[in-house]
Amino acid sequence: ADLWCWIAPLPFDCVESFLGGDNCVRGDNAFIYRWAFFYGPLWLCMFIVVTVNVAIYRAVRKGMMEAENREKSHKARHGKTTAGDILLGR
């Protein structure tokens, strides 16, 4: 058995109908189904992972920018008031 034994044409050397043949007894267009059932879910998972990572990055970046803006406005109004500023001499 090879990697694709779960979807295979019969006879093995038949010409599939998308290539213009019609001598497959079983598994006509097996090549297309192999790609669709293997690479379809694989690319879907990759797309989901990339989408989730981008969403996490954007959410964290937005939170960091908001915190930075709050810190700047607080310093502008009150000067050195955070413990970190006092300890670090900012």
Side-chain angles (χ1 to χ4, degrees), residues 14-84:
C14 73
V15 179
E16 297 171 354
S17 63
F18 80 96
L19 296 173
D22 63 352
N23 63 339
C24 291
V25 176
R26 252 186 341 168
D28 189 27
N29 299 325
F31 180 79
I32 294 172
Y33 291 117
R34 287 180 201 160
W35 278 81
F37 289 130
F38 182 76
Y39 289 109
L42 179 70
W43 280 103
L44 177 65
C45 289
M46 290 173 66
F47 176 75
I48 290 170
V49 166
V50 168
T51 303
V52 167
N53 278 304
V54 167
I56 291 170
Y57 170 79
R58 292 180 74 187
V60 169
R61 185 160 194 257
K62 181 181 176 186
M64 295 291 288
M65 296 298 276
E66 287 174 0
E68 189 176 308
N69 289 338
R70 281 192 211 118
E71 181 182 9
K72 285 179 184 177
S73 66
H74 181 76
K75 282 183 181 181
R77 279 186 268 150
H78 304 289
K80 297 180 186 179
T81 58
T82 64

